[in-house]
Every structure is written in C-alpha cells, then in structure tokens.
Amino acid sequence: MALWQLYALSVALVSSFVASSSSSFYHTAVAPPQDLQISDPGLLGSLDIEWKPPPNVQAFNECTVKYKFEYRNTGDRDWKVIFTRKLKFRVGFDLSRTAEVKVQTLLEGRCTNDVEVQSDWIYATFQVPLQGKLESEVQNFHCIYHDWEYLKCTWQPSLLAPRGVRYGLYYWYEGLDHAAQCDDYIQDHGINIGCMLQNLSQAEYKDLSICVNGSVAATLLRPLYVTLRLHNLAKPSPPKQLVVSMSASEQLHVAWSPPGGETPPQCLEYEVQLAEDQGEAKATWASVSTQMETALTITRANQSRISCVRVRARTNIFCADQGFWSEWTQECFSVSRKEDKQLFILIPVILSLSSSFIICMLIGQCKKRSPAGKPLHASVGC
C-alpha cells in the first residue's frame, strides 16, 4: 500500500472516532431543575429559594449533577452566581425592587465524556406588595457605625407624611431567629427620626437587613428597605495623644495613638496634614498617608514654618471596601525652625537689657537736675 493511501486511511479512522465521540456528546442531554419557588420568611429581604432535581437525574449515576444559581434585583446590571449541589438557598434582596432568580442543571463525568453539559434555564421572580406612593417613603436615610461599637441611623419624614406619623425601624442579620425592632429611638418633636443599635458585633461582615416603615390613620406609607454592611459604614474617633517634635536636622516627627473604641487597630489607616506658612503667603496644607503605622518622620523640603499638624483615621482596604474618615485631631502645634527658637529666646533678653539701660539713663538725668542736699523721690521727675 502506498504511503499516501496509509495516510488517508489513518485520517479516516481519526475522523470516524471524533464523529462517534461528538455524536455521543450531543446525544447526552439533561433537563433543567423543576418547581423553582421563592418564599419570604419575614426577614426583611432574605428570601428562601428552592427547587427540585430534574426528572431524569437518576439516569446519570456516572456523572456529577450540580446547579448554577444566579440572582439579582431588577435594575441591577450583573447577576450574582453560585455553583452548588444543594437544592435550597437563602439570599438577600432589596424588597423595594423585584427579585429575579434563575437555575440550570450542570452535568459532567463519564456519561458526557468529561464534557460539561448544561440544561436550559428556569426562572422565577418575587415582589412584595408595595403600599403607598414612592414619595411617602422616609428621606435621607443614613447610617454610621461609630467606633465599631454602635450603629446610628437617621432619616427625615417623607414629604407626604401627615401629622402624628409613627416610624419604626426593624432589623435582621444571620443568627437572629426573627426580625427585631429598635428599642432606642432618636426623636424630634415626638417623631422618631433615628435609631441607635448596640451589640452588633455578630452582624459584622454579614448582610444587615433594615426596614423603616411608617403608620398613621387612614394613610398608606411606603416602607424603606436597605441592606447594609457594617464594616463599610465604620467611622472611628480621632486619633489620641498626638505628639510633634522637630529634630536638629529639620526632620519633623509626628506620633499618635490609635483612637478608642472597638475599632481593630490593624484595620486603620491614617492621614497626616501639615499647614505650612511661607513668609506672607497664605498657609497651605500638605498631606501624607500611612497604613497602620502610628508615627511618621517627615523631611522638610523648605524652610517654611509649620503652623499646624493634625491626624485623622479611617478603616483601611484590608478590612472594608469603604468607610468614613474620623474627625481631625483638635490640637494645632506650631513648630518653628531652630533659628526661630533662638530668636524667640534672644529678643526678650535684648529688650530687657535695653529697658534697664534706658531706666538708668533716666535716673541719671534726674539726679543731675535735683537741687543739692535734697532727696530724690521716685514720684517726682520719673
């Protein structure tokens, strides 16, 4: 047999094998899951999603059956994705918008020649009945997690809120059996406009679901639903014990202590600001940032006078996606150059010597003018 004939035969055999494998792959199919359902257990946005396996799952005992579960709120750009072998999940949604979920079956193993086979998607949505007009929802809802110790949330009554409205804040996070109500409200003229929540350490790095609703006779008010992450709302107190000194080589040394409270020291970053006066020019601020360190040595590039040094703190990127800066330390330290300090010491000495010389000269003049033999009184002539 000629060489080209052997080559043609081998190509035909390989093509036949590939076609046979492809045929077995394309003939392996899997059905989507069944009975996708969404239920609300009353946890302010955490919904239960469950489904049943596809009807023909028993036929694939040589393969692994998994599910690709995706969810989002209507209006979100991206889906959140979970790969699982479970048949039930509890995930958080914004109940002011429609919840959307979808699931498909994934099949892979010997029965598919180790190629992943995907079923069609099945879909479901959920929407709580929203009462009242959108304008009846509370306004300017805002929360800060102070010193990782307590959460302070505030809001303003809606534009459509009638007199006598009563607002309530409810919250839930994983670990609570049921939604709880705020027991420490902030009031303005008898109306609840805020809430203080203590002992939330178990809720850190979890979804904290909050609902603020209002009630008043004969009027429907729309509730506000939000989901928070405490570590992204943290605001520490200002750093403490700020100490500023200047070395002989014109290096500025700034040191401080971490703020109080329960803020983890390893979760803090700092910003140091210097106000520099350059002659008659207006003071300008220069900033220096540092991660976790509580001391800085700054080499001054000019001979300007440092009129103020201050420090503030914030949760760093290792512990949060974002956070609030603390207030600045209140002290302002005026740090002068070495020659300025020498001048500050010399000027009073020179003034003192000059004053003494002038007084002596005046006393001498008075003595010359005084008649002979008469005493000189301090009250006369001087």
Side-chain angles (χ1 to χ4, degrees):
M1 184 178 291
L3 182 61
W4 67 269
Q5 291 175 316
L6 288 173
Y7 175 76
L9 180 61
S10 63
V11 170
L13 290 173
V14 170
S15 299
S16 175
F17 175 77
V18 171
S20 175
S21 300
S22 299
S23 176
S24 64
F25 164 69
Y26 284 114
H27 281 86
T28 301
V30 62
Q34 304 179 92
D35 300 330
L36 177 60
Q37 296 182 359
I38 305 175
S39 58
D40 183 6
L43 302 179
L44 311 181
S46 288
L47 303 179
D48 289 334
I49 295 92
E50 57 184 322
W51 58 89
K52 294 179 182 179
N56 58 343
V57 71
Q58 301 297 332
F60 305 115
N61 54 4
E62 293 184 341
C63 278
T64 300
V65 179
K66 297 187 297 184
Y67 303 98
K68 186 177 182 181
F69 167 57
E70 299 188 9
Y71 66 100
R72 69 178 182 182
N73 276 112
T74 298
D76 291 346
R77 178 179 177 181
D78 300 318
W79 293 83
K80 297 178 181 178
V81 182
I82 297 176
F83 293 92
T84 182
R85 299 183 68 177
K86 298 180 180 180
L87 299 173
K88 184 175 182 178
F89 263 94
R90 174 173 288 174
V91 292
F93 292 90
D94 177 0
L95 290 187
S96 64
R97 295 181 291 154
T98 301
E100 302 179 12
V101 300
K102 60 181 181 179
V103 187
Q104 69 174 174
T105 308
L106 304 179
L107 188 66
E108 185 176 7
R110 292 180 60 185
C111 68
T112 63
N113 292 324
D114 294 321
V115 177
E116 184 180 80
V117 177
Q118 303 174 352
S119 75
D120 293 332
W121 291 97
I122 58 171
Y123 297 83
T125 60
F126 178 87
Q127 173 70 67
V128 296
L130 291 178
Q131 62 183 29
K133 297 181 180 180
L134 180 61
E135 295 79 7
S136 66
E137 188 179 272
V138 295
Q139 303 179 89
N140 301 326
F141 183 80
H142 182 68
C143 296
I144 296 179
Y145 192 35
H146 291 274
D147 287 323
W148 293 58
E149 288 185 340
Y150 66 93
L151 181 70
K152 181 180 179 181
C153 295
T154 57
W155 60 84
Q156 293 177 342
S158 68
L159 298 175
L160 302 181
R163 297 185 63 179
V165 62
R166 295 175 59 87
Y167 288 111
L169 182 144
Y170 299 84
Y171 64 97
W172 180 86
Y173 56 87
E174 186 179 356
L176 293 181
D177 295 332
H178 53 80
Q181 184 179 7
C182 173
D183 58 7
D184 186 9
Y185 285 106
I186 302 168
Q187 293 191 335
D188 180 29
H189 296 91
I191 297 177
N192 293 339
I193 60 165
C195 170
M196 305 278 283
L197 295 176
Q198 310 276 354
N199 304 318
L200 292 177
S201 60
Q202 297 300 316
E204 292 171 4
Y205 296 99
K206 297 179 181 178
D207 286 339
L208 176 64
S209 300
I210 288 181
C211 172
V212 180
N213 65 10
S215 61
V216 69
T219 303
L220 294 177
L221 303 178
R222 177 165 297 191
L224 170 75
Y225 293 98
V226 294
T227 300
L228 308 177
R229 283 294 186 102
L230 293 178
H231 57 281
N232 288 331
L233 301 173
K235 180 178 181 179
S237 297
K240 301 184 298 183
Q241 300 173 344
L242 178 61
V243 177
V244 182
S245 60
M246 181 75 74
S247 69
S249 59
E250 294 293 318
Q251 286 186 319
L252 186 69
H253 184 71
V254 184
W256 60 91
S257 297
E262 298 297 324
T263 304
Q266 70 274 13
C267 286
L268 289 171
E269 65 175 338
Y270 300 95
E271 182 181 15
V272 180
Q273 272 197 344
L274 315 174
E276 299 178 292
D277 292 327
Q278 301 180 9
E280 296 182 357
K282 187 178 180 180
T284 58
W285 289 98
S287 297
V288 182
S289 299
T290 179
Q291 290 282 354
M292 290 182 281
E293 291 84 1
T294 56
L296 276 179
T297 299
I298 303 169
T299 301
R300 297 169 63 196
N302 53 48
Q303 297 299 309
S304 62
R305 175 175 171 271
I306 304 298
S307 61
C308 187
V309 179
R310 60 187 186 180
V311 185
R312 63 179 180 173
R314 180 176 67 175
T315 306
N316 60 34
I317 59 174
F318 304 109
C319 297
D321 298 325
Q322 58 189 19
F324 297 105
W325 281 107
S326 74
E327 304 301 325
W328 292 102
T329 49
Q330 296 300 312
E331 299 87 349
C332 265
F333 292 86
S334 179
V335 183
S336 304
R337 302 194 308 270
K338 185 177 180 181
E339 53 267 33
D340 291 339
K341 294 179 180 178
Q342 291 175 336
L343 183 63
F344 179 76
I345 295 171
L346 287 174
I347 287 176
V349 174
I350 293 172
L351 288 175
S352 177
L353 291 174
S354 301
S355 300
S356 299
F357 179 75
I358 293 171
I359 291 171
C360 290
M361 290 290 293
L362 290 174
I363 291 174
Q365 292 294 326
C366 289
K367 284 183 178 181
K368 289 180 181 180
R369 293 178 184 177
S370 218
K374 290 187 178 181
L376 180 68
H377 296 282
S379 59
V380 179
C382 294

